[in-house]
Amino acid sequence: MSHLYRVISAVLLLFTVMTQVSAQQLFKGKIIDASTKEPVQGATVQCNAGCLCACATGSKGEFEFKPKRNCCSSVRISCIGYQPVIFDPGSSSLAPITVIQLQQASSEIQSVVVTANREGVRRSLAPVAVSIVSSRTINETRPVSVDQVLNKVSGVYMVNLGNEQHSMSIRQPMTTKSLFLYLEDGIPIRTVGLFNHNALLEMNMSAVKSIEVIKGPSSSLYGSEAIGGVVNFITTAPSAIPVMKLSVQGNSIGYKRAELQTGFTLGKWGIAVNGYYADKRNSFMEFTDFHKGTFTARVDYAFNTKTLLSNSFTYMDYYSDMTGGVDSAMYINKSFSSRHSFTFRKVLAKRFRSTLTHAWNENSKSTASLVFRNNLIGQNPAYAVKDDFRRTASGEWKGQKDLAHGELNEATFKSYVLILQHRQKLQWKESALIGGVSADVSPSSYSAEYIRINRDSVSGKYNSYRGQDSLLTDYHNDINNYAAFVNFETSPFNKIRLVTSLRYDLFRYNFNNFLPPSSYSGAPDSKNQFNRLSPKIGFTYNMSARSGLYANYSQGFVPPQVTEMYKGVKVPDLAPSVFRNYETGGWWELVKGKLTADLSVYLMKGNDEIVSMRLDDGSTQNVNAGETTHQGVEWGVNANPFKCLNIRFNGAISSHRFDTFHEKGLSYDGNEMNGAPRWMHNAEAWYRPAFAKKLRVGLEWQKIGSYFMDPTNSVRYEGHDVFHFRAGYSWKAIEVWMNILNITDSYYAYTASKSSSGYNYTPGEPRNLNLGISYDFANFLRKTR
């Protein structure tokens, strides 16, 4: 009997154990970004009942969740920068794996930003004014050009000069000067010393998943030209699930575009190919046709969970008519004819990057990047066309009315770049050290040929031109930039994060002129060297998880550009321009999940700015003689009063003044800088109704205040208000959208200026309708939640 009892007891025990084992069901899944379809690393999967059952996703976004007991009827998934979701494992067929998509959070406060320290840090721990244009914002805006998303950032006004050409205003007036640094995945798009205000037309926006904007000097991390701001375009990585989207769109003023976005991961390989072809014909303004073809191919290979090799190649071919804006009479009369018929800009750009990343352990990571750039810009520029018949200094009119002068020029460079970087977490005070070195060797060439232009003396149109076998400029320049940088972060006290960084840059120009000293540009062969040590120090004080303050001091610098050094008859003795910035601000979650705000206040002083000084003999020479003051307040408010409604308001009040500025015989001391609106803001509301979850409707308001059109402060542009309407709807693999830009048909100018040669306006686009549709051919291959 006792033997039978033991057998029954053993069977019951075995049954109980098997029951408990079977209850511990293993849930497998993959978590991805709903917009980019990229894997989300570091997401937390935990029991929603509050027990200790939890796990985190790896580099591929995958997880295995095994509850310790029967308490996990639902699972909460959360990650910094995303909206948390509650997932019911029992409602899913887990064969072979469940894919869960996370929506990006509308608030930036707890987002991770890469640009702030070159590695990635939570927004609340970065003592800088930083804004993020998320992939969700880009996808819902469906921008035709970069300015349509970048201008949503407080204190940023990217000036649309037509056909993706642009100038910029970030803590500076609207300007074409080298005061902004443009990055792609943390690496400059162009080499130092060869700044081009149109550099962002070289971007492939179909390969961009987000944009980070650091406002104020960041030379301590990224080197020269990072003065008004740093704009970093983060490109799309291979998607965790197959994606193959084809989209087409067009608007009512001649613009057409076809776009391809693909990506997938297969084993250790990840591949993404993104590109588009855009074309514009017969727009509202004469002589503004253009076309652009670009693609980016990225191939990643994961040797293991610690080592990744990422390779990307971008190619772009661009051509645009260059109309050159309109004068005051044409602007007043709403005449959109062009005096030009042959001016153009063409750009051919190639970029290759190979980055090897290795994580030695949880506290140590190294990266090595090799970069190659090959760039050509050819122009028959409208800005170089000068009438022969014009007023002299004495007030007399002289010259031929049917003659004008211009040039054909071509600038090329190649870059060979090496960047080494290491991040080390330290045990003391939650400290971290990031350091590295870089070398950029960029041989460049520039040539300009004089052309004689036939001008209609009655209509003023420039009809034709012919070369004169006369070179205005012809030189070669080797540009070398060597740098070392370090960034140290620590928490010496509770709630306080101290961040300091330092960078040393050495520049060498080796100029070789192919023209004799008697030429128009006869500067002698020379070797010039510049160096600069750039510091930055700041701290954050997080009063709670929902509020924080920050302050920083930083320096930025700009070495003389190649064109400022060598485009003349002699080489001037120039030094880098230096900018010192003092800044404070904060961020607050005023109502949890409903209302957030951020604020920045800054004062920046510029010294040794390069100006063109008129000499006693009537000639001009570049000298370090300019001093300016820039100050302002920037803010952003984000409200979610209802789950289906999001309201955003970003704005800036600023003042930009000449302290000491004498140029070409004129003094601007104490004047407001031209092209510097005191007030600008961008407000937007999005409505996503609960009864139609895939529908979105948005209204945007762009405000640019009045500003002086010239440095003598003689005339103002009164500013403008522009409204845009956007709507989109997704159904399975199809998405359609409709954008009505400038819905009130406001008549305005993107930019307006006055100089000795007269007034110049770049007319804004009239009301236009943009329609688009996309289809994801890979949709049938996947099953997602």
Side-chain angles (χ1 to χ4, degrees):
M1 187 71 172
S2 59
H3 177 71
L4 179 61
Y5 175 78
R6 287 196 295 268
V7 171
I8 294 173
S9 298
V11 171
L12 290 174
L13 177 63
L14 179 62
F15 178 78
T16 302
V17 171
M18 293 180 64
T19 302
Q20 292 295 322
V21 170
S22 63
Q24 296 177 6
Q25 186 177 1
L26 180 64
F27 303 124
K28 294 183 179 182
K30 178 183 292 185
I31 300 175
I32 66 173
D33 186 295
S35 297
T36 65
K37 311 306 179 187
E38 293 180 13
V40 176
Q41 184 177 4
T44 300
V45 183
Q46 62 187 112
C47 176
N48 197 41
C51 72
L52 298 179
C53 303
C55 68
T57 56
S59 59
K60 293 183 179 181
E62 296 178 348
F63 69 89
E64 292 186 357
F65 182 68
K66 190 174 184 179
K68 296 180 180 179
R69 54 183 180 271
N70 295 326
C71 63
C72 298
S73 59
S74 65
V75 174
R76 186 177 189 271
I77 299 174
S78 61
C79 186
I80 295 174
Y82 291 91
Q83 300 175 17
V85 299
I86 305 299
F87 173 58
D88 180 7
S91 66
S92 174
S93 59
L94 301 174
I97 194 168
T98 297
V99 178
I100 304 167
Q101 303 191 55
L102 295 186
Q103 295 287 346
Q104 295 172 6
S106 56
S107 172
E108 299 177 5
I109 290 179
Q110 296 301 330
S111 298
V112 173
V113 289
V114 177
T115 316
N117 68 351
R118 301 181 67 104
E119 275 287 328
V121 63
R122 187 177 296 187
R123 168 67 184 88
S124 58
L125 299 179
V128 293
V130 56
S131 295
I132 304 168
V133 180
S134 67
S135 57
R136 181 179 183 180
T137 298
I138 295 173
N139 290 340
E140 292 185 344
T141 302
R142 290 290 180 175
V144 168
S145 52
V146 183
D147 62 287
Q148 293 178 5
V149 289
L150 209 51
N151 289 347
K152 299 177 187 291
V153 176
S154 61
V156 175
Y157 182 50
M158 179 179 174
V159 183
N160 186 343
L161 298 179
N163 299 342
E164 300 191 25
Q165 300 166 111
H166 65 92
S167 61
M168 187 64 75
S169 172
I170 308 175
R171 295 192 176 179
Q172 291 284 332
M174 302 175 220
T175 182
T176 59
K177 291 185 178 180
S178 53
L179 299 174
F180 314 101
L181 184 61
Y182 304 125
L183 309 175
E184 183 179 54
D185 293 325
I187 297 173
I189 297 172
R190 295 176 61 86
T191 190
V192 67
L194 296 175
F195 179 80
N196 188 315
H197 67 89
N198 289 309
L200 294 186
L201 66 79
E202 299 177 18
M203 289 304 305
N204 176 9
M205 279 301 293
S206 67
V208 173
K209 71 174 179 182
S210 63
I211 307 172
E212 296 180 356
V213 182
I214 300 290
K215 288 167 279 188
S218 295
S219 291
S220 60
L221 282 178
Y222 293 102
S224 68
E225 300 171 358
I227 305 300
V230 174
V231 184
N232 189 11
F233 292 81
I234 312 297
T235 61
T236 303
S239 56
I241 58 177
V243 173
M244 190 174 72
K245 287 185 179 180
L246 176 64
S247 63
V248 292
Q249 62 177 303
N251 66 21
S252 56
I253 52 175
Y255 182 86
K256 299 177 291 293
R257 175 164 159 175
E259 186 169 346
L260 176 67
Q261 295 174 302
T262 68
F264 65 91
T265 299
L266 184 62
K268 294 185 176 183
W269 293 91
I271 296 176
V273 179
N274 304 283
Y276 70 90
Y277 179 80
D279 180 88
K280 189 177 78 174
R281 307 279 180 91
N282 303 319
S283 187
F284 74 99
M285 190 167 180
E286 185 183 17
F287 197 65
T288 55
D289 292 356
F290 99 110
H291 63 259
K292 173 182 175 179
T294 182
F295 76 89
T296 299
R298 174 169 169 171
V299 178
D300 291 357
Y301 181 76
F303 292 91
N304 48 53
T305 58
K306 293 185 176 181
T307 307
L308 174 69
L309 179 64
S310 177
N311 304 281
S312 68
F313 174 75
T314 296
Y315 173 87
M316 190 214 64
D317 187 351
Y318 173 95
Y319 178 91
S320 175
D321 295 337
M322 192 187 294
T323 187
V326 299
D327 60 27
S328 56
M330 297 171 67
Y331 183 74
I332 293 172
N333 295 322
K334 298 185 179 181
S335 172
F336 302 122
S337 61
S338 173
R339 293 187 299 166
H340 300 279
S341 60
F342 49 77
T343 49
F344 67 86
R345 173 176 284 121
K346 63 179 180 180
V347 183
L348 184 64
K350 304 169 188 174
R351 294 189 300 275
F352 172 77
R353 174 184 58 84
S354 181
T355 299
L356 180 65
T357 302
H358 179 71
W360 304 94
N361 50 54
E362 292 183 354
N363 299 318
S364 184
K365 185 176 76 171
S366 299
T367 61
S369 296
L370 291 173
V371 180
F372 172 72
R373 312 184 192 100
N374 189 347
N375 192 286
L376 179 149
I377 300 178
Q379 298 182 120
N380 187 335
Y383 61 77
V385 176
K386 308 295 182 184
D387 292 340
D388 190 69
F389 183 74
R390 49 186 166 173
R391 189 190 297 269
T392 63
S394 63
E396 298 181 82
W397 286 88
K398 290 186 177 181
Q400 301 181 41
K401 293 184 178 181
D402 61 351
L403 175 64
H405 311 282
E407 66 178 59
L408 285 168
N409 62 50
E410 184 175 276
T412 63
F413 72 85
K414 294 182 179 180
S415 293
Y416 307 89
V417 185
L418 172 65
I419 303 173
L420 303 177
Q421 181 172 307
H422 181 77
R423 176 183 175 88
Q424 185 69 47
K425 291 183 180 180
L426 307 175
Q427 299 300 319
W428 180 77
K429 300 291 186 180
E430 300 180 21
S431 301
L433 187 67
I434 302 172
V437 295
S438 66
D440 185 328
V441 177
S442 298
S444 66
S445 297
Y446 182 84
S447 63
E449 172 192 356
Y450 169 74
I451 59 173
R452 183 182 177 94
I453 299 172
N454 296 320
R455 177 180 181 271
D456 189 305
S457 59
V458 177
S459 66
K461 279 186 173 287
Y462 306 106
N463 296 319
S464 62
Y465 69 92
R466 62 181 183 275
Q468 297 297 113
D469 195 25
S470 174
L471 284 175
L472 299 173
T473 309
D474 189 15
Y475 63 75
H476 178 86
N477 194 7
D478 290 321
I479 305 172
N480 297 343
N481 175 209
Y482 307 100
F485 55 87
V486 62
N487 182 84
F488 178 69
E489 305 175 11
T490 187
S491 298
F493 307 104
N494 186 32
K495 299 182 179 180
I496 292 179
R497 187 71 171 170
L498 179 67
V499 180
T500 180
S501 53
L502 187 68
R503 177 176 170 123
Y504 175 76
D505 279 274
L506 173 65
F507 301 92
R508 289 176 178 166
Y509 295 166
N510 185 2
F511 174 73
N512 184 15
N513 197 347
F514 300 130
L515 298 181
S518 58
S519 344
Y520 171 81
S521 180
D525 294 351
S526 62
K527 295 183 179 180
N528 301 91
Q529 182 170 299
F530 311 95
N531 61 80
R532 185 71 193 176
L533 194 65
S534 301
K536 183 171 186 175
I537 185 168
F539 72 89
T540 61
Y541 173 55
N542 288 284
M543 297 172 284
S544 70
R546 296 171 55 182
S547 62
L549 302 174
Y550 80 91
N552 74 60
Y553 167 76
S554 60
Q555 288 187 14
F557 75 100
V558 183
Q561 298 294 293
V562 169
T563 52
E564 294 172 329
M565 292 286 296
Y566 308 115
K567 204 172 182 181
V569 295
K570 58 182 178 180
V571 178
D573 183 17
L574 296 176
S577 303
V578 180
F579 293 79
R580 294 171 174 84
N581 184 71
Y582 308 84
E583 182 177 336
T584 186
W587 52 89
W588 302 268
E589 187 176 23
L590 302 173
V591 180
K592 188 174 182 180
K594 297 289 186 179
L595 181 63
T596 61
D598 62 84
L599 178 74
S600 301
V601 182
Y602 69 91
L603 170 65
M604 180 164 57
K605 293 282 220 177
N607 301 95
D608 293 328
E609 296 186 51
I610 297 174
V611 300
S612 181
M613 185 74 74
R614 188 178 296 278
L615 305 180
D616 293 338
D617 61 1
S619 63
T620 59
Q621 180 178 321
N622 288 331
V623 297
N624 293 105
E627 295 183 4
T628 57
T629 295
H630 314 266
Q631 54 190 334
V633 180
E634 303 159 343
W635 68 89
V637 177
N638 199 307
N640 294 91
F642 309 104
K643 188 175 181 180
C644 60
L645 180 64
N646 173 250
I647 302 173
R648 174 188 54 78
F649 185 89
N650 294 331
I653 299 175
S654 56
S655 172
H656 306 277
R657 289 190 173 274
F658 297 109
D659 294 333
T660 302
F661 221 88
H662 300 260
E663 191 166 35
K664 295 182 180 180
L666 297 174
S667 174
Y668 308 136
D669 294 4
N671 288 2
E672 287 190 36
M673 299 182 73
N674 50 301
R678 284 288 190 95
W679 168 276
M680 58 184 182
H681 74 243
N682 185 284
E684 190 170 31
W686 280 102
Y687 176 60
R688 304 174 182 89
F691 61 83
K693 293 184 178 181
K694 298 298 184 178
L695 174 67
R696 64 180 187 270
V697 179
L699 182 66
E700 180 183 6
W701 173 23
Q702 176 80 56
K703 168 76 174 182
I704 299 296
S706 66
Y707 56 84
F708 285 110
M709 296 171 60
D710 62 336
T712 62
N713 292 178
S714 65
V715 62
R716 275 185 177 273
Y717 173 73
E718 292 305 316
H720 60 260
D721 298 87
V722 184
F723 296 87
H724 308 304
F725 173 82
R726 297 182 174 93
Y729 183 75
S730 299
W731 181 73
K732 294 186 178 180
I734 299 174
E735 181 181 2
V736 294
W737 65 91
M738 175 184 70
N739 296 338
I740 306 176
L741 305 184
N742 190 7
I743 56 177
T744 61
D745 203 20
S746 175
Y747 185 62
Y748 69 103
Y750 288 125
T751 182
S753 62
K754 179 191 175 187
S755 65
S756 58
S757 59
Y759 292 84
N760 187 276
Y761 296 84
T762 303
E765 292 179 351
R767 179 172 53 230
N768 62 93
L769 171 66
N770 179 281
L771 296 176
I773 183 171
S774 72
Y775 185 82
D776 188 351
F777 289 88
N779 184 67
F780 68 93
L781 294 177
R782 42 186 212 252
K783 181 179 181 180
T784 60
R785 292 183 58 85

